[in-house]
Amino acid sequence: MKKQLKGRFAPSPSGDLHFGSLVAAVASYLEIKKTDGEWLVRVEDIDPPRIVEGASSAILQSLESHHLYWDGEVSYQSKRIHHYQEVMENLKRSNLIYGCECSRKQLKGVYPYPKLCRNLTLPINHISTNQRNYALRIKTKSEEINMSDLWLGDLSWNMESDIGDSILQRADGIFSYHLAVVVDDFLQGITQVIRGSDLLDSTPIHIHLQQLLGYNTPQYGHIPTATNSDGVKLSKQYGAKPLNNNSPLDNIFLALQFLGANPPSKLRDHSLDTLWSWALENWKTR
Ligand code: GLU
């Protein structure tokens, strides 16, 4: 029996759904639904200071208005912290983690992290986050990470010289997006990750963690990032306009066009479901 594929859309509730995130939702949905796989929605509400009240329900409502219906229950990272904690303890036991007290200011413009704290051996066990008050980083060494991206083809990075030791838990105790996403994609059995190419720099960090933890690496696909007319990436941070939920047909039509699917313009006079059927029949990975 062929294994059922599983994809996901993982919005951060830092604002309403905008065109850029709709494009990521549409691509991940079509890519998985063309195989009859399952499409999950996971709300990435792991970073309280970035959460905007009401954003997660507004995002879910927008998805529904666009007939982007997910399978199963929506999951919330804020309810899954114990999983990240457990994996962090495993990584610590494997001697892969160290404390880092460098400030953001100190490291401004410096990348990869120059390992300033790697040999300080700051205490990382049996110490509460309050007492610790410094971040935890993962150790990397010079090794190649290779992957074949559905959109971008073959890519490779050197973990030490291109990426360096990333923060997995901040000084305020919040687990990083990198740790949470890797743990969740694994525990939720995600086989396909389709997301914006603005997240491409994170992917080697994720693959490296998967390899250290003995997890399978999903198939990745990074789609072009939608920008405004000045070439600035559309994001909630830069005040991208929320989608108008009253014109889902137009929005999906434009998202398909953006993704290079070229729906016939006569479909603009049909129903949203007719457009979706066309999209599913004609979807090709680009
Ligand atoms: N939560 C991330 C974002 O909204 C996306 C994470 C992902 O798809 O891996 O940018």
Side-chain angles (χ1 to χ4, degrees):
M1 208 177 76
K2 214 168 148 234
K3 192 173 159 224
Q4 198 190 26
L5 298 181
K6 244 192 215 184
R8 67 2 174 236
F9 175 56
S12 305
S14 51
D16 291 328
L17 200 69
H18 57 80
F19 185 71
S21 39
L22 180 73
V23 165
V26 168
S28 64
Y29 179 86
L30 287 171
E31 197 60 47
I32 207 76
K33 288 296 173 185
K34 78 172 186 197
T35 71
D36 228 6
E38 267 183 72
W39 188 68
L40 309 188
V41 170
R42 181 173 71 227
V43 174
E44 302 209 318
D45 55 350
I46 196 170
D47 188 353
R50 287 190 56 218
I51 297 174
V52 170
E53 212 188 308
S56 61
S57 50
I59 291 172
L60 297 176
Q61 207 175 9
S62 265
L63 292 174
E64 282 181 325
S65 317
H66 289 80
H67 294 192
L68 277 157
Y69 300 122
W70 54 90
D71 295 296
E73 299 271 319
V74 173
S75 58
Y76 293 83
Q77 286 190 327
S78 55
K79 301 202 177 115
R80 303 172 57 80
I81 310 283
H82 55 289
H83 292 300
Y84 317 140
Q85 187 66 57
E86 198 179 307
V87 172
M88 175 53 89
E89 294 310 317
N90 286 344
L91 291 169
K92 282 182 189 168
R93 275 195 292 275
S94 309
N95 194 25
L96 289 165
I97 299 293
Y98 66 94
C100 169
E101 52 188 7
C102 294
S103 68
R104 216 183 266 213
K105 203 164 137 203
Q106 192 180 348
L107 297 175
K108 201 161 175 238
V110 184
Y111 191 83
Y113 173 65
K115 302 184 191 166
L116 300 176
C117 295
R118 189 138 157 189
N119 298 322
L120 291 185
T121 53
L122 294 166
I124 57 169
N125 292 310
H126 313 295
I127 174 166
S128 73
T129 313
N130 286 349
Q131 286 169 301
R132 194 177 70 220
N133 202 20
Y134 41 83
L136 299 181
R137 287 189 186 265
I138 180 97
K139 293 180 190 168
T140 53
K141 54 180 194 250
S142 179
E143 58 184 312
E144 295 296 314
I145 297 286
N146 302 301
M147 75 128 171
S148 184
D149 187 277
L150 281 178
W151 262 266
L152 304 175
D154 291 342
L155 298 167
S156 79
W157 297 264
N158 179 284
M159 264 332 275
E160 190 176 42
S161 54
D162 297 331
I163 311 293
D165 299 351
S166 306
I167 291 182
L168 295 191
Q169 191 173 18
R170 295 194 324 224
D172 60 7
I174 293 177
F175 288 104
S176 72
Y177 154 67
H178 302 308
L179 184 71
V181 91
V182 164
V183 171
D184 284 346
D185 284 341
F186 171 71
L187 291 178
Q188 295 183 317
I190 301 298
T191 60
Q192 262 197 345
V193 173
I194 310 296
R195 58 188 176 194
S197 45
D198 54 312
L199 291 166
L200 185 61
D201 290 348
S202 300
T203 304
I205 305 173
H206 300 175
I207 298 177
H208 177 238
L209 279 172
Q210 287 152 2
Q211 293 178 350
L212 293 175
L213 293 163
Y215 299 170
N216 284 336
T217 290
Q219 171 68 60
Y220 285 101
H222 292 83
I223 55 164
T225 309
T227 58
N228 67 16
S229 52
D230 300 326
V232 176
K233 185 201 146 209
L234 293 184
S235 69
K236 295 160 204 161
Q237 228 171 337
Y238 290 104
K241 273 199 307 241
L243 284 174
N244 180 351
N245 288 342
N246 296 322
S247 51
L249 182 81
D250 286 344
N251 297 336
I252 297 293
F253 192 93
L254 292 174
L256 290 169
Q257 258 182 349
F258 180 85
L259 289 162
N262 288 326
S265 53
K266 66 172 192 304
L267 286 178
R268 281 194 124 136
D269 304 325
H270 289 73
S271 69
L272 179 57
D273 287 335
T274 308
L275 180 60
W276 272 122
S277 311
W278 180 91
L280 278 164
E281 254 165 60
N282 293 278
W283 178 251
K284 287 189 209 74
T285 310
R286 263 141 254 273

